[in-house]
Amino acid sequence: MCGLVGYIGDREATPILLNGLKRLEYRGYDSAGIAVLQNGNIDVLKRAGKVNDLETLSALHPFASTVGIGHTRWATHGEPNDQNAHPHVDHTGTIALIHNGIIENYSAIRRRLERDGIEFKTDTDTESLVQLISTFYDITGNLEQSVRLALKEVDGTYGIAVISSREPGKLIAARMGSPLVLGINDGEYFVASDASAIVHHTRQVIFLEDGNIATLTRDGYEVKTIGDEAVEHKIEQITFDIEQIEKGGYDHFMLKEIHEQPQTIMDSMRGRILKDKGTAKLGGLRDVVSALEGARRIIITACGTSWHAGLVGEYMLEQYARIPVEVEYASEFRYRSPVLTENDVVIAISQSGETADTLAAIREAKLRGATVLGICNVVGSSIARETHAGVYTHAGPEIGVASTKAFTSQLVVLSLLTLMLGRTRGFISLDEGRKFADELLSIPDKVREILEKADEIRELARQIHTANNALYLGRGYNFPTALEGALKLKEISYIHAEGYPAAEMKHGPIALIDENMPVVVIAPQDRIHEKVISNIQEVRARKGKVIAIVNRDDSTIEELAQFVIEVPTTVDFLSPLLTIIPLQLLAYSIAVFRDCNVDQPRNLAKSVTVE
Ligand code: G6P
């Protein structure tokens, strides 16, 4: 996730900015940059790569400045290269801006400004904002007012910091959906995306609220709303240490990432749902729409958790877009001489975009003439570059080795693809499409509701954490959820766990069931609910401990199961977005009770770049 830091005071700004950026490195990033005000000019240094590289560069270009801004970028719009790195400067070279978040209506703003003759230098959404501020600045000559006017036209999320060579004693910061904190010290002020960047200078902070804009000068600060009204704010004292700040106050990155999901799920669909038309728009697929709509077959290829997302995709796309889908482990696909034609579309799913087997599978598919698409989280990654087209999931960097928020964001993208293809191929009606769009938009709140059950789930974990084996059962859309739930548990707690289609249990795993075996059954109220109840009866008859994930008020299952976790209802194909949440929390809490290294489980790697 991008990081930002800004400084105004009487000390040399560059080392403060560079050190701040180093403290933000843990968030993950692909490029870094700083802008300072020096002799009436804006000076910018930025480049793809690490903060250390930026530091080397800055040693060759020493600045003398006491006000500046710095940024670590995690690419969302445009490749991670020198040009797209922040800060971005307007066409007059007067204003520099850094931005965390996504400007949803950036292309409309950009088109309008380009028509007025403004030349853009980057592929980013952020440049639209700095150019827009600049057009207002021409008229008002007042930076704060221009930022406010521009922000009123912007849809999306932002945490920004802005400086201008015409007002060298000022730093403006504003927030909507991306955290921002002000740091207060004697005669010097800071802004940062999280307190770890500034905590070694000051522990006195103000956490800005959404819709706040702050003006910092060497003489003080002022916080208002974007609508120019005064706001109440309180100065707080930071008492926690840097490690706690980095993890957002959570004990582990995995837990933080689980709790980020209402936000990351929203980010994956941001700007992509056309509610009135009951469909979705995936800009990255523009050039391959006809190949997709006319595909004879879709083959999804991936590894690990991404492969599980692919399995859910198979169910969705077959049911609603009526295109035959196969899902293959990339490691198998690449070596088994698959039959592929130009009428086939291959979709590679990968969080990192660097998994060696998935990369090899797409190369194989390209050689055989298929249209190859990617669903990746990391912008500019190898898979993103080597596929013909694709969609980014926008989940932000995932640090915990066991994937959580990347999985749900992959499901969102697959749902959007299903909605889009189902509508254009005529298998989803306008009314149904609108209902699906509404349901998708309600998922973040429903996830939030489930996250509130974390304590309840921890209590369950306490009761079963000494088990040696566990079984996860689900049917239909929740068969892949069962696989993913089991994978989460084995990855981080080292308990042997298996996921199975519930009905298939009687062909083997039932032999393992006794009073020591926790059996997690995913049983929302769908069209195979009755059948899942029969499977639960079979487990009970063998004294298995049933833990059921159900919809509200499911009295039948409540009577049968030892432990019940309720999740809100939704339409069938979106169900895994909800049912996986308690399973992530369960695996996490069990691993903590077993004293395991949650974020870096033994023998596992975040990105597997070898075969
Ligand atoms: C590793 C990770 C998993 C991940 C898998 C595929 O095994 O530990 O969490 O699901 O690789 O990675 P990808 O980046 O291609 O999604």
Side-chain angles (χ1 to χ4, degrees):
M1 203 74 68
C2 303
L4 72 77
V5 59
Y7 174 76
I8 183 161
D10 52 18
R11 287 192 282 161
E12 198 56 63
T14 308
I16 293 174
L17 298 175
L18 290 171
N19 286 333
L21 293 182
K22 281 187 189 160
R23 307 269 180 175
L24 295 172
E25 284 190 301
Y26 77 94
R27 295 161 70 101
Y29 68 106
D30 46 55
S31 47
I34 56 170
V36 297
L37 290 174
Q38 186 180 229
N39 308 326
N41 288 318
I42 297 264
D43 284 303
V44 177
L45 286 180
K46 56 182 192 173
R47 59 163 34 185
K50 295 292 159 197
V51 177
N52 274 339
D53 302 328
L54 181 68
E55 197 169 28
T56 311
L57 187 68
S58 98
L60 302 172
H61 303 270
F63 293 140
S65 172
T66 53
V67 51
I69 52 180
H71 192 264
T72 48
R73 172 176 190 246
W74 199 79
T76 59
H77 294 67
E79 290 211 356
N81 54 29
D82 292 354
Q83 209 139 36
N84 290 335
H86 298 214
H88 293 292
V89 176
D90 74 312
H91 65 285
T92 67
T94 312
I95 304 169
L97 173 141
I98 50 179
H99 166 224
N100 292 355
I102 297 174
I103 307 296
E104 278 172 32
N105 56 339
Y106 75 98
S107 56
I109 296 173
R110 179 172 181 144
R111 273 198 307 273
R112 197 179 83 209
L113 298 178
E114 280 177 337
R115 269 199 306 274
D116 293 343
I118 295 178
E119 260 181 53
F120 278 64
K121 294 186 284 290
T122 77
D123 312 315
T124 62
D125 53 331
T126 303
E127 191 182 355
S128 297
L129 180 55
V130 72
Q131 302 287 20
L132 184 61
I133 294 172
S134 171
T135 59
F136 288 113
Y137 204 33
D138 268 354
I139 304 163
T140 66
N142 177 311
L143 186 63
E144 185 203 321
Q145 197 186 353
S146 308
V147 171
R148 254 193 285 110
L149 290 168
L151 291 180
K152 282 188 189 155
E153 291 194 15
V154 154
D155 296 329
T157 56
Y158 51 80
I160 55 167
V162 196
I163 51 174
S164 155
S165 55
R166 277 158 62 187
E167 292 173 70
K170 227 178 239 178
L171 195 161
I172 312 283
R175 161 188 172 148
M176 181 65 75
S178 288
L180 222 48
V181 57
L182 304 185
I184 298 162
N185 214 2
D186 261 355
E188 57 178 11
Y189 299 90
F190 304 81
V191 57
S193 46
D194 73 57
S196 57
I198 56 174
V199 78
H200 44 293
H201 299 295
T202 178
R203 286 186 168 266
Q204 290 211 92
V205 299
I206 296 171
F207 292 101
L208 292 188
E209 303 284 341
D210 277 351
N212 284 176
I213 180 165
T215 303
L216 314 180
T217 66
R218 289 185 185 86
D219 303 323
Y221 64 90
E222 190 176 27
V223 185
K224 290 193 211 162
T225 65
I226 287 162
D228 205 17
E229 285 154 19
V231 286
E232 296 260 322
H233 56 267
K234 68 171 190 293
I235 298 177
E236 297 180 43
Q237 191 72 23
I238 293 193
T239 49
F240 27 84
D241 61 28
I242 286 189
E243 211 198 35
Q244 278 171 310
I245 302 171
E246 289 177 349
K247 291 179 182 153
Y250 294 100
D251 289 343
H252 298 94
F253 282 111
M254 182 184 176
L255 188 61
K256 174 174 174 245
E257 285 158 5
I258 291 173
H259 281 270
E260 271 170 14
Q261 288 175 109
Q263 181 69 44
T264 52
I265 288 172
M266 194 42 104
D267 286 343
S268 308
M269 41 190 170
R270 202 173 282 291
R272 291 171 165 171
I273 292 184
L274 305 176
K275 248 178 98 171
D276 288 349
K277 294 189 177 148
T279 190
K281 174 185 77 177
L282 295 166
L285 300 183
R286 223 177 356 240
D287 299 339
V288 292
V289 164
S290 58
L292 260 170
E293 283 169 13
R296 188 182 67 118
R297 188 170 62 138
I298 292 176
I299 297 160
I300 299 179
T301 189
C303 302
T305 290
S306 300
W307 182 77
H308 293 154
L311 286 180
V312 181
E314 174 183 21
Y315 280 75
M316 290 178 182
L317 286 161
E318 291 210 338
Q319 184 178 352
Y320 290 107
R322 307 302 298 150
I323 303 174
V325 180
E326 286 167 31
V327 186
E328 284 238 28
Y329 285 117
S331 52
E332 287 298 308
F333 180 81
R334 62 182 291 197
Y335 284 123
R336 69 164 185 80
S337 195
V339 178
L340 280 176
T341 70
E342 344 181 295
N343 298 325
D344 292 320
V345 172
V346 172
I347 304 180
I349 306 179
S350 174
Q351 187 284 126
S352 61
E354 301 296 344
T355 302
D357 282 323
T358 313
L359 197 52
I362 63 170
R363 287 177 182 155
E364 180 69 26
K366 272 169 86 181
L367 277 180
R368 289 169 191 260
T371 300
V372 183
L373 313 180
I375 297 178
C376 293
N377 194 31
V378 178
V379 174
S381 54
S382 303
I383 294 175
R385 279 185 277 117
E386 292 199 25
T387 40
H388 295 121
V391 185
Y392 287 119
T393 52
H394 292 167
E398 198 177 55
I399 294 171
V401 166
S403 183
T404 52
K405 63 174 182 171
F407 176 68
T408 45
S409 70
Q410 290 165 346
L411 295 186
V412 170
V413 169
L414 288 163
S415 315
L416 296 172
L417 183 62
T418 302
L419 184 55
M420 184 181 98
L421 291 177
R423 290 282 293 124
T424 51
R425 287 170 54 85
F427 295 106
I428 298 178
S429 68
L430 176 61
D431 281 353
E432 218 177 357
R434 285 180 176 155
K435 182 178 131 203
F436 291 165
D438 278 342
E439 275 298 330
L440 259 163
L441 291 165
S442 73
I443 293 290
D445 280 341
K446 292 180 179 178
V447 169
R448 221 168 262 127
E449 243 181 83
I450 303 170
L451 291 170
E452 282 166 14
K453 297 178 192 285
D455 288 346
E456 204 181 296
I457 295 169
R458 189 178 319 113
E459 172 52 26
L460 166 64
R462 197 186 57 72
Q463 292 175 30
I464 61 172
H465 76 274
T466 53
N468 294 321
N469 299 286
L471 197 56
Y472 286 68
L473 304 175
R475 297 184 77 150
Y477 284 102
N478 282 304
F479 158 50
T481 318
L483 294 179
E484 176 60 9
L487 177 65
K488 285 291 85 76
L489 186 69
K490 73 184 129 198
E491 278 179 314
I492 59 171
S493 76
Y494 318 138
I495 294 176
H496 167 239
E498 289 196 49
Y500 249 81
E504 187 65 17
M505 169 191 69
K506 50 188 164 304
H507 300 288
I510 200 165
L512 300 171
I513 296 176
D514 61 17
E515 65 279 10
N516 300 316
M517 174 76 108
V519 182
V520 180
V521 188
I522 305 143
Q525 228 108 25
D526 54 17
R527 64 196 168 96
I528 39 182
H529 186 246
E530 289 303 315
K531 307 225 176 273
V532 178
I533 292 182
S534 310
N535 301 135
I536 294 179
Q537 304 270 22
E538 291 158 8
V539 175
R540 287 287 291 152
R542 278 134 195 111
K543 301 199 170 66
K545 247 184 234 158
V546 176
I547 295 145
I549 314 294
V550 299
N551 290 142
R552 240 169 251 130
D553 304 326
D554 191 332
S555 52
T556 321
I557 294 190
E558 268 164 28
E559 272 170 33
L560 287 171
Q562 267 92 342
F563 208 100
V564 165
I565 303 166
E566 289 182 356
V567 298
T569 49
T570 185
V571 288
D572 52 6
F573 74 108
L574 301 180
S575 164
L577 277 164
L578 302 181
T579 50
I580 193 59
I581 309 291
L583 304 188
Q584 295 169 344
L585 285 169
L586 182 63
Y588 169 79
S589 294
I590 290 177
V592 171
F593 277 116
R594 291 168 71 97
D595 232 355
C596 297
N597 184 342
V598 174
D599 284 332
Q600 273 159 352
R602 70 183 181 212
N603 305 338
L604 296 180
K606 184 70 192 153
S607 178
V608 182
T609 52
V610 292
E611 265 194 61

